[in-house]
Amino acid sequence: MLEGKELVSLVRGDAKCAEEPLRTEDFRLLTGRGRYVEDYNTENIAYMSLIHSPHARAKIKRVDLSQLRSSPDFIAALTGDDLIKEGVSPVGHGFIPNSKSWTRYHLSLGEVRFVGEPVVAILAKDRDSAEDLTEQVVVEYEELPPVTTLEDAKRGKVLVYDGWKDNLYGKVERRKGDVNKAISEAVYVINAREGIRRQDAAPIEPHAVVASYDRERGDFQVLATVQSVHSLLDVLSQELKIPKSKFHIKVMDMGGGFGTKGGPVYPWPLLACLFARKTGLTVKWEANRTEEFLESAPSRDEYCDITLACDKDGKILALKGRIECDIGVPGSSAFMAAATVGTIVGPYEIPNLDLVALSYATNKMPVGPVRGAGRPEGCYFTERAMEIMAKKIGIDPIEFRRRNVASPKVKSPPEDYPALLDFLTKSTDYAGILRWRDEFNSRALREENENDRPAKIAGVGFSLSSGLTQFSIRAILGGISLRGIIAIIKFLPRLRTFTGETAKVSLTKNGQVTVYTGSSPHGQGHETAFAQLASEELGIPFEKVKVVWGNTDLIPEGVGTFGSRSASAGGSAVVDASRKLKKDLIKKASRMLRIPRDQLRIQNGNIIIEAKEPQNVLIKVEEVLDRLQLSELASESKFAVKGSETYSSAAHLCAVLLDTETGRVRIEKYAVAEDCGRIINKAIVEGQIHGGVLCGVGGALLEKLVYDDNGNLLTTSFLDYSIPNSSDSISIDIFHKVTPSDCLNHTKGVGESGTIASYAAVINALNDAVSQFNKGRTTGKEETDLLNIAPAFPETILSAILH
C-alpha cells in the first residue's frame, strides 16, 4: 500500500530546464521596494470616503448633510443628484446581448438596490476624519422587499426593477441536432444539478485611486488599481464627456486583480475626479477589506441542470444543459453565463446540443469576471457529468474521455487531446495511483473502527480543460434580434482589440532597450517575460532591457491584462516590434558598413558578420545611433492574433484523503499535464499554474459568499470568508507538452488554465472517495445526489457519507 512519500514518488516531473532569467521584479516586490497606490503621497491631499446602503432594497427619502457641513474637517460631498447636475453619464452596460435595459448611477439616485451600494461620497482633510464624518450623514430610507435568492428571482413576485416584467435579465441559447431524440435512443443517460456558489476574487491589495486636476490645462492625473489603464481612460472619458487627451492615467505595482479589477466599472475613479475638479485638491481613496467585499465584483453563482446521453460503447450522443446564474444587480460585466454556454462543450465531440443560459437579477452586488470568467463553470458542469457517466457505465474516467475527445482539428496547430491524455497517464503513472487508492481503501475498510467506519478514505479525480473556445456569435445572440445586432455591432471593435495588443521597443545611444507594452501586470511577470522576448529577438543582453507598462502618456493605445491574453497577444506585439527594430537597425548598419544586410546579425549587443569564423564585432548597436546622431531608434506594433483566441489545454489529476469523522480533506497528490505552447519562462508559467490551481482548490473547498434573508452580506472579512493560506498550499507536479500555437511567439494563455480545470478535479476526487466509502452499503444515494455544488464544506461532505 502506498502512502505519503510513496505516492509522491509515483509522479515525477522533468527537473531539467533551460537556463532562464529569474523574475527581475521579484527582488523589488519581495524587499518592500514595490510602489503601490497607497504609497503615493503628496502635498495638498484629501481623502474620500463613501456612505453605503445598509439595505438590499429601499427608497431614499432624504439625505441630510447639515451636520456634516459644520465639521472643520469637511471639504465637499457628492450625491446622486450632484452627478446629474455635473452631467455625468450613467453606469455603462457593457456587452450583454438580449438583455433588459436599466439605468443606474455611481451614487444611487432614488432607490438603492444592494447592500453596500454607494449613496454619498464625502471628502475630508485626513483619512480618519473621512471615516468619522460618514457617521454624521443622515440618510432616511423606506425599506422595500428585496430579491435575495435565485429562486426568488425566478418566481418574480418582487422585481429588482419596477419597469421589468420579470427578473430574467438575459438569455443565451445554443442548439445543434435533435437532442430529445438522441436522449430517447441512448443506452445510458445521467441527470445532475451542478453548481458553484458565489465567490470573491480576494486580491491582496484592495481597490484604490488617486486623482488630481490641473485647472489651467483642464487635465486629470489618475493613479488606479486597474488591469487596463486604457479601459479606464475610455470609461472616464465617456462618463465625464471629456476628450481622452485630457486624462493621464497610470497604474503602479498592483497586488493582484484576478479579473475583478479588469472588467467591471466602479464608482471610485469618477468620484475622485469630480472631487479633484471641484476642489483643486489631490483626492485619495482606498477600500478597506469590508468595502472590498461589499463592492468589488464577485463571480460564479452559476448552476446547471445537465443531461448527458451515451450509446452502448460510451460515445456521447447528446448534451442538454439549462444554466441559471444569479448576476445580482445588473452591471457592466455580467457576461459569464454567456461565456459558459460558449465553452461548456469543452474538448468533446458532441453531435447534439441543447443549451440555454438564463441570467437573473437579484438585490446583491453586481457580478463580474473572476479568474476564468465563465470557463471554470462550463468545465465543472461537463467534467462532473463525464465522471458521473463513467461510473454509471463502469468505465475508467480517462478512457471514457479518450473515446469522446474531438479529433485534431484541421487547423494549425491541431489540438491533440488524446495525446494530452496519454501524456498525463504516462507522466503520473496513473495506474499506480489507482492501485494506491484501491489498496489504501481496501485496508481502511478492513480496519473499520468501532463506529463502523474507516477513519480515512482515498479518492482520485480527473478533469480535462479545452484550449478551444467553441463559441458562436449567433448562438450567443440567441437569435438575431435587433437588440442583439446592435449589441454585437457596438462590441465588434472591443472584440477585435481583445485579441490584439500594442508594443513599442526603443534603443537609445547607451545601448539600453525599453519595451513599452499595453499589457499591465499584477503578478504575471511581464517585466521578465517581455524582456526575454525582446532580448532574444534583438540579440541584446537581457539585463539591458527594461519594460514599461500602465501609463497612457507613454503608451497611448493598449488593451490590458486579463483573459489569459498577455503572453500571446502582448508578447507577440513585443516580438513584432522587436523584429521591426532589428530590421531597421541592420538596414542602417548595412548602409554604414557597406556590407549586405543578409550578412549581418546582432549578437550580445554587437553587430557581427553572419558567416565569419571567428565572428568579429564590427560595431556595437549603440554606435550605430551615435554615428547617425540619433538619440533613439524605435519601432511599434499593433498586433492582433489571427483566428480564435489562444488558450492552453490541460489535464488535471487529484488524489485526496477524506477524513470520514470530520469531513476534512487532504490533497495527497495533484498533477497537471499542460500544453501552453511555447514556454517563455518556465518559473513564470508554473507559478501561474500553481496559483490557478490553488484558486480552484479554494473555490472547491473553502470559498462562499454568504447572505442572510434580507440580502446582508455576512462574509465581510477574512475571518468569515476563507481563502487558501500557506498551510493549505499543495505540492503540484506539472508536466509540459509543447504544441506551438499559430500566434507570432507560439504561446497559449496560461493564466486561467489552472483554475478552469481544478474545481472539477477536486470535487471528482471527493466524490470518488465518498463512493468508495459507500460501496457495498445501502445508502439510498445516487452519484448525482452527492457533492455537486461547490464549495464542499466539511459538513456538506459528512452529509454525503452514510451515518
Side-chain angles (χ1 to χ4, degrees):
M1 183 178 64
L2 300 172
E3 293 186 66
K5 293 181 180 178
E6 294 174 288
L7 177 60
V8 171
S9 68
L10 281 174
V11 186
R12 296 186 295 271
D14 183 4
K16 298 177 182 179
C17 68
E19 193 70 29
E20 59 188 22
L22 296 174
R23 285 175 41 124
T24 54
E25 51 268 79
D26 286 356
F27 179 79
R28 181 182 81 253
L29 298 175
L30 295 175
T31 56
R33 292 172 171 82
R35 291 284 294 167
Y36 301 87
V37 173
E38 173 60 18
D39 295 322
Y40 181 85
N41 286 295
T42 186
E43 295 180 359
N44 208 31
I45 198 164
Y47 292 84
M48 184 171 75
S49 186
L50 302 175
I51 289 84
H52 307 278
S53 167
H55 305 293
R57 186 162 173 257
K59 287 184 178 179
I60 301 174
K61 299 189 69 176
R62 184 173 66 95
V63 177
D64 186 353
L65 305 177
S66 58
Q67 185 179 354
L68 177 74
R69 298 184 190 282
S70 64
S71 170
D73 295 316
F74 170 76
I75 299 173
L78 289 169
T79 65
D81 288 329
D82 293 320
L83 300 189
I84 298 296
K85 294 174 184 176
E86 293 281 351
V88 172
S89 297
V91 177
H93 280 218
F95 170 61
I96 316 295
N98 293 340
S99 57
K100 292 185 172 74
S101 62
W102 49 273
T103 301
R104 186 162 56 84
Y105 286 84
H106 282 310
L107 292 174
S108 54
L109 191 67
E111 185 173 318
V112 293
R113 289 187 170 85
F114 64 94
V115 172
E117 182 174 6
V119 179
V120 180
I122 63 173
L123 192 66
K125 293 180 179 179
D126 57 68
R127 191 192 304 271
D128 291 339
S129 297
E131 293 179 0
D132 291 342
L133 287 175
T134 59
E135 299 178 5
Q136 298 182 27
V137 176
V138 177
V139 183
E140 185 179 336
Y141 299 95
E142 178 186 334
E143 288 191 65
L144 299 171
V147 180
T148 59
T149 68
L150 189 56
E151 292 305 314
D152 287 342
K154 289 161 62 177
R155 280 191 290 267
K157 292 182 178 179
V158 177
L159 301 178
V160 173
Y161 280 93
D162 292 335
W164 291 6
K165 294 180 180 179
D166 54 35
N167 290 309
L168 179 61
Y169 175 56
K171 180 179 180 180
V172 172
E173 298 175 286
R174 180 182 178 190
R175 292 186 173 88
K176 182 176 73 170
D178 190 336
V179 166
N180 292 333
K181 180 181 178 183
I183 292 174
S184 68
E185 295 175 352
V187 176
Y188 301 102
V189 178
I190 65 99
N191 299 282
R193 181 166 177 80
E194 317 287 355
I196 303 176
R197 304 288 189 192
R198 180 171 285 219
Q199 297 173 355
D200 197 71
I204 191 170
E205 180 192 18
H207 283 78
V209 64
V210 174
S212 59
Y213 182 68
D214 186 325
R215 285 179 171 170
E216 290 186 6
R217 302 177 61 180
D219 286 359
F220 290 95
Q221 300 282 344
V222 181
L223 299 177
T225 50
V226 291
Q227 293 171 223
S228 170
V229 289
H230 299 94
S231 291
L232 181 58
L233 174 66
D234 291 341
V235 168
L236 286 176
S237 176
Q238 292 167 11
E239 290 178 336
L240 289 170
K241 302 173 184 176
I242 294 173
K244 294 181 185 180
S245 59
K246 294 298 182 181
F247 293 92
H248 310 276
I249 302 176
K250 183 179 178 182
V251 63
M252 305 170 77
D253 290 319
M254 195 164 78
F258 310 114
T260 196
K261 295 176 182 175
V265 175
Y266 295 108
W268 316 303
L270 169 79
L271 298 175
C273 286
L274 288 176
F275 274 136
R277 185 171 66 181
K278 184 176 183 178
T279 65
L281 301 172
T282 297
V283 177
K284 188 174 185 179
W285 175 86
E286 182 181 37
N288 58 40
R289 187 56 61 180
T290 296
E291 286 179 308
E292 187 74 9
F293 272 108
L294 285 173
E295 293 186 67
S296 180
S299 197
R300 312 294 186 250
D301 227 348
E302 275 191 36
Y303 310 89
C304 181
D305 291 302
I306 192 166
T307 299
L308 193 66
C310 288
D311 65 14
K312 62 182 178 60
D313 297 319
K315 290 286 289 184
I316 298 175
L317 299 176
L319 172 66
K320 186 174 184 177
R322 179 184 173 90
I323 301 161
E324 296 174 339
C325 182
D326 179 347
I327 65 165
V329 173
S332 56
S333 298
F335 61 83
M336 280 65 70
T340 299
V341 168
T343 58
I344 191 172
V345 174
Y348 302 109
E349 192 71 52
I350 304 178
N352 299 286
L353 297 173
D354 184 355
L355 304 169
V356 59
L358 307 170
S359 295
Y360 288 93
T362 61
N363 290 113
K364 299 174 185 170
M365 76 188 90
V367 298
V370 170
R371 204 167 192 166
R375 298 185 77 207
E377 297 92 312
C379 180
Y380 180 76
F381 300 152
T382 301
E383 290 299 309
R384 277 296 297 131
M386 296 293 288
E387 202 83 357
I388 294 168
M389 179 62 84
K391 287 189 179 295
K392 184 178 184 71
I393 298 174
I395 186 174
D396 177 83
I398 289 186
E399 174 57 28
F400 178 53
R401 288 170 171 86
R402 194 190 313 274
R403 294 182 187 183
N404 288 286
V405 289
S407 59
K409 301 294 179 181
V410 183
K411 64 184 288 291
S412 178
E415 296 286 350
D416 193 349
Y417 297 105
L420 186 63
L421 290 170
D422 291 340
F423 184 57
L424 177 79
T425 55
K426 292 176 182 178
S427 300
T428 61
D429 185 10
Y430 175 62
I433 292 175
L434 294 183
R435 285 196 303 273
W436 163 81
R437 179 200 65 188
D438 295 341
E439 292 173 11
F440 184 97
N441 291 339
S442 178
R443 177 179 173 182
L445 292 168
R446 286 197 307 269
E447 298 174 355
E448 289 185 353
N449 60 24
E450 57 191 24
N451 294 324
D452 194 35
R453 69 167 53 173
K456 289 185 174 64
I457 204 81
V460 175
F462 181 78
S463 179
L464 181 63
S465 72
S466 169
L468 293 173
T469 304
Q470 299 183 8
F471 191 85
S472 160
I473 292 298
R474 184 181 179 90
I476 294 309
L477 286 174
I480 308 300
S481 66
L482 178 61
R483 184 175 174 82
I485 291 172
I486 293 172
I488 193 64
I489 289 173
K490 288 183 177 180
F491 186 67
L492 276 174
R494 290 187 61 191
L495 187 65
R496 285 194 293 267
T497 60
F498 190 85
T499 62
E501 191 51 273
T502 63
K504 173 184 173 182
V505 180
S506 73
L507 172 69
T508 58
K509 286 196 300 184
N510 61 3
Q512 180 74 38
V513 172
T514 303
V515 174
Y516 300 89
T517 174
S519 295
S520 185
H522 38 279
Q524 292 86 350
H526 288 18
E527 288 182 60
T528 302
F530 288 178
Q532 274 186 253
L533 291 173
S535 173
E536 292 169 6
E537 292 294 334
L538 291 170
I540 291 176
F542 172 82
E543 58 272 14
K544 285 197 169 187
V545 183
K546 177 184 177 183
V547 178
V548 175
W549 72 90
N551 188 322
T552 57
D553 288 345
L554 299 176
I555 308 149
E557 295 182 63
V559 181
T561 296
F562 41 80
S564 301
R565 60 181 307 281
S566 286
S568 55
S572 290
V574 171
V575 168
D576 186 39
S578 297
R579 288 179 181 176
K580 290 177 179 176
L581 176 59
K582 181 179 179 179
K583 182 178 180 180
D584 193 20
L585 191 60
I586 291 288
K587 178 181 177 181
K588 287 178 167 51
S590 171
R591 290 176 178 174
M592 186 181 301
L593 300 172
R594 297 185 179 181
I595 297 175
R597 299 179 205 173
D598 58 3
Q599 295 184 21
L600 298 178
R601 69 183 177 95
I602 305 174
Q603 184 181 78
N604 200 30
N606 303 309
I607 295 178
I608 62 175
I609 295 180
E610 173 74 36
K612 191 168 183 178
E613 291 289 348
Q615 291 160 336
N616 293 325
V617 175
L618 300 177
I619 190 173
K620 293 183 178 296
V621 292
E622 55 263 38
E623 290 180 35
V624 176
L625 274 69
D626 190 53
R627 290 192 191 182
L628 294 173
Q629 297 182 339
L630 296 173
S631 59
E632 178 190 45
L633 190 63
S635 292
E636 298 181 0
S637 173
K638 295 180 181 178
F639 185 83
V641 178
K642 295 181 180 178
S644 61
E645 295 149 18
T646 307
Y647 297 108
S648 59
S649 304
H652 289 215
L653 186 146
C654 179
V656 302
L657 283 181
L658 170 59
D659 189 320
T660 64
E661 295 289 342
T662 65
R664 293 186 64 83
V665 178
R666 188 174 78 199
I667 295 178
E668 289 289 298
K669 175 53 55 186
Y670 203 103
V672 177
E674 176 80 31
D675 187 349
C676 64
R678 175 197 176 186
I679 298 172
I680 301 171
N681 186 293
K682 188 177 180 183
I684 290 176
V685 167
E686 296 193 346
Q688 287 281 351
I689 296 171
H690 275 262
V693 167
L694 201 58
C695 178
V697 169
L701 299 176
L702 300 171
E703 300 182 42
K704 175 185 174 184
L705 290 169
V706 179
Y707 294 81
D708 67 13
D709 293 339
N710 295 315
N712 293 300
L713 181 63
L714 303 180
T715 45
T716 58
S717 75
F718 288 136
L719 294 175
D720 310 308
Y721 185 89
S722 297
I723 60 173
N725 56 34
S726 58
S727 64
D728 299 309
S729 185
I730 58 176
S731 175
I732 303 172
D733 296 284
I734 301 172
F735 307 93
H736 299 287
K737 179 181 180 295
V738 177
T739 307
S741 76
D742 54 6
C743 74
L744 193 60
N745 68 353
H746 307 303
T747 60
K748 304 174 186 177
V750 74
E752 296 161 307
S753 175
T755 301
I756 289 167
S758 51
Y759 279 87
V762 172
I763 297 297
N764 282 339
L766 288 182
N767 277 288
D768 184 53
V770 172
S771 67
Q772 297 287 325
F773 175 79
N774 288 337
K775 191 180 295 183
R777 295 172 167 82
T778 304
T779 66
K781 293 177 182 286
E782 295 290 335
E783 174 73 13
T784 53
D785 296 328
L786 300 181
L787 304 168
N788 289 331
I789 307 296
F793 290 145
E795 58 269 27
T796 311
I797 295 170
L798 289 176
S799 71
I801 295 175
L802 175 67
H803 288 274

